[in-house]
Amino acid sequence: MSKALEGVRILDFTHVQSGPTCTQLLAWFGADVIKVERAGAGDITREQLRDIPDVDSLYFTMLNHNKRSVTIDTKNPEGKQVLETLIQKCDVLVENFAPGALDRMGFTWERIQELNPRMIVASVKGFGPGPYEDCKVYENVAQCAGGAASTTGFDDGPPVVTGAQIGDSGTGLHLALGIVTALYQRTQTGRGQKVLAAMQDGVLNLCRVKLRDQQRLERTGTMKEYPQYPNGEFGEAVPRAGNASGGGQPGWILKCKGWETDPNAYIYFITQAPVWAKICNVIGKEEWATDPNYATPAARLPHLKDIFAEIERWTMTKTKFEAMQILNKYDIPCGPILSMKEIAEEPSLRKTGTIVEVDHPTRGKYLTVGNPIKLSDSPTEVKRSPLLGEHTDEVMAELGYSPAQISALRTAGAI
Ligand code: CAO
């Protein structure tokens, strides 16, 4: 079966997390992703957070599936020429170097255009144009600068970063969409273009609802869906809302049976308005279905805290899975707090290819997250990440270099 991006060749100049998540997605959709790395060292993540000595880390292997690796010293004049050949033969260059690094290497947008006017040059940077555009940025900086940290955590505590890598993987996802969109436009215009996904912008896009709330707060001075209402104070900016959804259907995380010893014995419970009567029945508070203090969403808002405390008295008598089973019978939206151990062992995720076991020549078997985006005509087959420089000779031959030329370039330290 063919793949959606078959025939698209990507010059993958990415490292660490944000860029590699983008090119990994493109590889899963069938693009030929050629990862250019520095000889000897490669992507820094190969050696970061290692769990087995001298073996590519899980950090690297889990972000670089289905790619080929070539090692080129792009600061060596002959290495530069090899990169120029690659630029001429590829459709997209993806990079997430520190601001200016590609220009310093001699590959400005203008130079790349000269070499290949159809080339799409896609970049992740920490910030877009503005006061911070020259700054290097890692995940948590983006979470802080994009509005996630100031709106995450509890009101009486400091800002908190989230475990979901919304700055890195989130921006990689944004960039991938920009790339396929530019590829589509190129079919009409014949021209390449620059694609920029700034991590601050990507995080802010994911925090869109918080900018909504900022404006609601400024207009009305309060937000009735937030836990600060009605007893707490609202300041000038959107406060941290704990586990409240802050949206139209109030929710909270509640303890389940075993919470005293199991840190994940909790459930997310949503008091969705259309099933309010069923919720009242399940928890044994039938009178709340008709009591004017509880019967409507607006009436419930001032005492959500007490309502969730009452529901929790019920959830604490059930395990999170028992509670799920009962609540789902009544169409009450809820979700168990799943640990990474539970997710890794979940059979349905294995079945869909969302969790995949991969074999690696030096590490052996390991688990990874497969392609979360499923295309019916372009199935994903997750292949192990490449060893450093594993495909240098193969790719050089495809670019038209003879064995003697490859050998000479190797002697010169260019590859
Ligand atoms: N051959 C020769 N030199 C190479 C090379 C190759 N194959 N590949 C990279 N280099 C060089 C670059 O040219 C650059 O050199 P100069 O600094 O002399 O111009 C150098 O390697 C290092 O690049 P860098 O500055 O990007 O790397 P860093 O480790 O110092 O910074 C990071 C890392 C992530 C902070 C920075 O790349 C960055 O801000 N990127 C944009 C935002 C981003 O993607 N952040 C997400 C990171 S994941 O949490």
Side-chain angles (χ1 to χ4, degrees), residues 15-16 18 38 72 74-75 96 98 104-105 136-137 168:
H15 65 157
V16 203
S18 64
R38 230 179 312 201
I72 304 173
T74 57
K75 288 189 175 159
N96 68 311
R104 285 195 293 278
M105 227 183 256
K136 286 186 177 178
V137 167
D168 280 336

Side-chain angles (χ1 to χ4, degrees), residues 13 15-19 36-39 44 59 71-76 95-102 104-105 124-126 135-140 165 167-168 199:
F13 229 162
H15 65 157
V16 203
Q17 186 184 161
S18 64
V36 175
E37 296 178 83
R38 230 179 312 201
I44 192 170
Y59 194 6
T71 45
I72 304 173
D73 179 355
T74 57
K75 288 189 175 159
N76 173 307
E95 63 92 21
N96 68 311
F97 291 127
L102 201 60
R104 285 195 293 278
M105 227 183 256
V124 169
K125 293 287 166 265
C135 298
K136 286 186 177 178
V137 167
Y138 282 104
E139 170 69 46
N140 289 342
Q165 303 286 283
D168 280 336
M199 294 168 75

Side-chain angles (χ1 to χ4, degrees), residues 24 27-28 33 35 37 46 55-69 356-370 380-391 394:
Q24 177 170 261
W28 280 336
V33 175
K35 184 166 172 112
E37 296 178 83
R46 284 189 187 266
V55 166
D56 283 340
S57 70
L58 286 165
Y59 194 6
F60 178 84
T61 56
M62 291 178 72
L63 290 166
N64 290 284
H65 294 103
N66 296 54
K67 303 181 186 178
R68 299 197 283 171
S69 165
V356 189
E357 192 176 75
V358 183
D359 206 358
H360 185 276
T362 55
R363 126 172 323 277
K365 289 193 164 57
Y366 66 97
L367 285 186
T368 194
V369 184
T380 297
E381 186 195 340
V382 179
K383 295 188 194 146
R384 69 164 175 87
S385 59
L387 301 173
L388 180 60
E390 185 176 346
H391 304 96
E394 179 182 300

Side-chain angles (χ1 to χ4, degrees), residues 53 90 148 171 179 194 199 252 287 302 322-323 336-337 344 351 402 408 413:
C90 288
T171 307
I179 290 169
K194 285 188 273 186
M199 294 168 75
W252 200 256
E287 65 277 16
E322 287 165 354
I337 308 306
K351 225 171 158 178
S402 69

